[in-house]
């Protein structure tokens, strides 16, 4: 059962990252809290690299109940947690911390669930028995592979610039479904129903060198990143005739909803929040 809400003093939550000033999480959690009339304060806390454990302790000592953790602290949060969910263990990263009544810190990772909810519930895509391509093999991709594989795709191909990194991931996740790894060149002649860009290429205004014939008819091109404009990957997909294209804003809201559930035991409605944020961007 969630703790009863104290109406006089808001329960304190925050997101920690570097940089974190432009995080949409405070706004998202404000909308969620409004749905339940919860009295919550959710702030963004900028933390210098190296200072994460002290910052967490300070926040907890000042009455904080839980934290979201973003780049570059997801592995620090993983190490700091006393108890981990199975999905956080598998992801090797934590984006949600909960300070438990017994003094222990529970660590979870809601990124993969957020992606899968956005794909299946918001975008109406079936992953079961479908060929799926994931681009990239860094921390962001590792965080979502478990939940993606739990949807039982026909095959999940991980393509990365550095193939060795994709191979490492395939080893970790081999028991969870059919995985193949390759470089971008090896994708020629292959077609996928869902292509998820989990590389950091968009950050540099780049698109991985992909063959244009990658998509089946009706395929979805999904970028885990989001911004005020379509990412280079989304523009590339549009140029090659893909109709279903999405950024990762829905994933962001869905992972936040999953964190909200961990802290408060209730699931917020995500669609109205995604709509409001879309209008704002
Ligand atoms: P994150 O936590 O965002 O996943 P990361 O662990 O540094 O960050 O991983 C970045 C991913 O983006 C990697 O898969 C990286 O490819 P390499 O493993 O070959 O480095 C990929 N990446 C970054 N810039 C890229 C680019 N311009 N084109 C293609 N892939 C890129």
């Amino acid at each position: 059962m969630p703790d009863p809400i104290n109406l006089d003093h808001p329960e304190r939550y925050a997101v920690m990252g570097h940089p974190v000033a432009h995080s949409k999480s405070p706004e998202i959690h404000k909308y969620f809290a409004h749905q339940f009339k919860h009295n919550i304060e959710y702030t963004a806390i900028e933390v210098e690299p190296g200072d994460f454990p002290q910052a967490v302790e300070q926040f907890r000592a000042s009455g904080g109940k839980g934290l979201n953790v973003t780049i570059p602290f997801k592995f620090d949060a993983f190490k700091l947690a006393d108890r981990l969910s199975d999905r956080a263990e598998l992801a090797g990263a934590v984006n949600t911390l909960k300070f438990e009544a017994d003094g222990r810190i529970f660590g979870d990772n809601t990124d993969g669930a957020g992606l899968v909810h956005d794909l299946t519930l918001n975008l109406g895509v079936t992953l079961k028995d479908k060929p799926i391509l994931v681009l990239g093999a860094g921390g962001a991709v590792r965080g979502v592979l478990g939940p993606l594989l739990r949807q039982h795709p026909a095959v999940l191909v991980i393509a990365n610039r550095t193939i060795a990194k994709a191979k490492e991931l395939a080893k970790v996740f081999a028991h969870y479904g059919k995985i193949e790894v390759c470089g971008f060149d090896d994708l020629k002649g292959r077609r996928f129903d869902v292509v998820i860009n989990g590389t950091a290429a968009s950050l540099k205004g780049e698109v991985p060198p992909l063959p244009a014939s990658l998509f089946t008819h009706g395929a979805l091109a999904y970028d885990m990143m989001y911004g005020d404009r379509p990412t280079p990957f989304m523009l590339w997909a549009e140029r090659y005739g893909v109709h279903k294209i999405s950024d990762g804003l829905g994933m962001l809201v869905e992972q936040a909803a999953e964190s909200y559930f961990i802290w408060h035991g209730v699931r917020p409605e995500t669609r109205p929040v995604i709509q409001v944020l879309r209008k704002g961007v």
Side-chain angles (χ1 to χ4, degrees), residues 71 135-141 160-162 165 184 198-201 204 206-209 225:
I71 288 166
L135 306 169
V141 165
N160 197 41
R161 191 170 58 180
T162 313
K165 274 166 77 179
F184 298 129
T199 71
K204 303 172 202 155
E206 294 169 4
V207 183
M225 301 247 169

Side-chain angles (χ1 to χ4, degrees), residues 86-100:
D86 289 347
R87 59 190 180 180
E89 192 97 55
L90 199 55
V94 156
N95 78 336
T96 306
L97 292 173
K98 182 182 183 186
F99 305 126
E100 298 187 309

Side-chain angles (χ1 to χ4, degrees), residues 115 119 123 125-127 130-136 148 155-157 159 184 187 190-199 207-208 210-216 218-225 231 233-234 236-237 242 244-247:
L115 173 63
L119 293 173
L123 299 169
V125 171
T126 307
L127 300 173
K130 298 282 172 64
I132 295 179
L133 172 63
V134 176
L135 306 169
L148 281 176
V155 62
L156 191 153
V157 175
F184 298 129
L187 292 169
R190 300 202 64 171
R191 285 154 70 83
F192 298 89
D193 289 325
V194 179
V195 179
I196 299 166
N197 183 22
T199 71
V207 183
L210 302 166
S213 56
L214 208 52
F215 300 95
T216 59
L220 170 71
Y222 190 98
D223 201 323
M224 284 166 51
M225 301 247 169
T231 67
F233 171 74
M234 292 165 72
W236 176 84
V242 179
K244 276 205 280 190
I245 299 173
S246 180
D247 67 6

